[in-house]
Amino acid sequence: MTETATGTDWQSWQESWDRQQEWYMPDREERFRVMLDMVEAVVGPEPRVLDLACGTGSITDRLLKRFPNATSTGVDLDPALLAIARGTFDSDDRVTFVTADLKDADWTKRLPHTSYDAVLTATALHWLHSEPLATLYGQLCGLVRDGGVFMNADHMIDTGTPRINAAERAHRHAAMDRAKAAGALDWAEWWAVAAKDPVLAAPTAERFKIYGEHADGDMPSVDWHARTLVASGFGEARAVWASPSDSLVLAVK
């Protein structure tokens, strides 16, 4: 267990976050596996990684378990999720966390390194609308070294297939309803629990002052992401994994 002087069991908070996310994405681990496969394929097993919009450090956790000689910089603005991340990796000198707003034009100046072998993110950038996301992609191109890689696993919607989309959504939500009946926590319920925790209550309150309630951005298609990444300076980009609702787009500098 990962505990600190506060007595907080950070590992349990990590696991509860994972379970909550898996309620929405039962194939979450599969996307992480493919992401790390492609890290190894493109830049090798000892990468310097930027865990973008890192949350509790889910990618960093899996990265270091698979590649013990990797290093990770996690960047996020959410004070509650960063508290869990910092608590979990408190004694690990391979990991650094940075508080920064990705909409801030100067956020990259807060990072400890000017270049990374890989920038990885999952289920986070759909909060951004297309214009700021395109701007972010340009900034990320400047951070990825030549030959390095960027990967984004997220909700990416093809609006040209409405019947397929509706059938997939209905099937997925039916499974979610069954899991909910069996006791799974959704997003709002997880945050309600965090708000009552003696250690996380204050950062959770701060988090909702920053973000408000959950709101999605545009969630453009895979093709949009690939085109925008190439237009931002990456050499090539395409999907390397997909579920019926989500995709993992990889871009090489």
Side-chain angles (χ1 to χ4, degrees):
M1 294 297 181
T2 308
E3 297 188 13
T4 66
T6 64
T8 300
D9 183 349
W10 295 115
Q11 189 61 45
S12 289
W13 278 108
Q14 281 280 1
E15 292 170 0
S16 71
W17 176 259
D18 282 343
R19 299 296 85 74
Q20 179 257 123
Q21 289 288 284
E22 287 166 1
W23 181 67
Y24 295 95
M25 299 166 288
D27 48 22
R28 185 168 177 255
E29 291 301 324
E30 178 68 6
R31 73 192 68 195
F32 287 147
R33 182 191 67 77
V34 175
M35 179 180 282
L36 296 181
D37 281 351
M38 296 310 298
V39 167
E40 186 172 23
V42 179
V43 300
E46 299 183 9
R48 175 191 288 172
V49 170
L50 177 62
D51 186 350
L52 188 74
C54 64
T56 66
S58 296
I59 290 175
T60 293
D61 176 58
R62 288 150 182 83
L63 172 79
L64 298 179
K65 285 175 179 174
R66 177 159 170 178
F67 306 126
N69 292 325
T71 59
S72 178
T73 302
V75 59
D76 207 303
L77 186 61
D78 190 311
L81 298 185
L82 278 174
I84 296 172
R86 289 187 168 113
T88 301
F89 297 97
D90 181 54
S91 60
D92 195 329
D93 60 8
R94 298 170 296 176
V95 184
T96 303
F97 289 104
V98 174
T99 300
D101 185 348
L102 298 182
K103 293 180 181 178
D104 183 344
D106 295 324
W107 73 269
T108 60
K109 294 180 180 179
R110 294 177 175 265
L111 301 176
H113 306 291
T114 58
S115 70
Y116 289 86
D117 300 310
V119 177
L120 310 177
T121 189
T123 326
L125 301 188
H126 64 274
W127 283 47
L128 297 176
H129 289 281
S130 298
E131 185 174 346
L133 182 54
T135 298
L136 178 64
Y137 279 173
Q139 293 172 314
L140 295 177
C141 189
L143 286 174
V144 175
R145 67 160 172 84
D146 287 346
V149 65
F150 166 72
M151 277 182 272
N152 179 16
D154 210 341
H155 313 313
M156 299 180 187
I157 297 175
D158 186 341
T159 57
T161 58
R163 289 186 296 167
I164 295 172
N165 297 350
E168 181 281 323
R169 187 179 189 279
H171 183 267
R172 175 164 43 90
H173 278 260
M176 290 168 67
D177 288 344
R178 292 192 295 271
K180 186 74 176 294
L185 294 182
D186 64 18
W187 170 270
E189 290 166 335
W190 189 91
W191 281 110
V193 173
K196 296 177 181 177
D197 182 81
V199 175
L200 288 178
T204 295
E206 184 182 353
R207 180 236 182 259
F208 279 96
K209 287 181 182 178
I210 295 170
Y211 291 107
E213 295 301 323
H214 189 287
D216 288 327
D218 297 333
M219 289 187 283
S221 69
V222 170
D223 288 343
W224 180 93
H225 286 274
R227 289 195 313 271
T228 303
L229 285 162
V230 171
S232 299
F234 286 93
E236 55 190 59
R238 71 168 176 88
V240 293
W241 174 90
S243 74
S245 61
D246 292 9
S247 294
L248 169 61
V249 172
L250 180 154
V252 176
K253 177 79 172 285

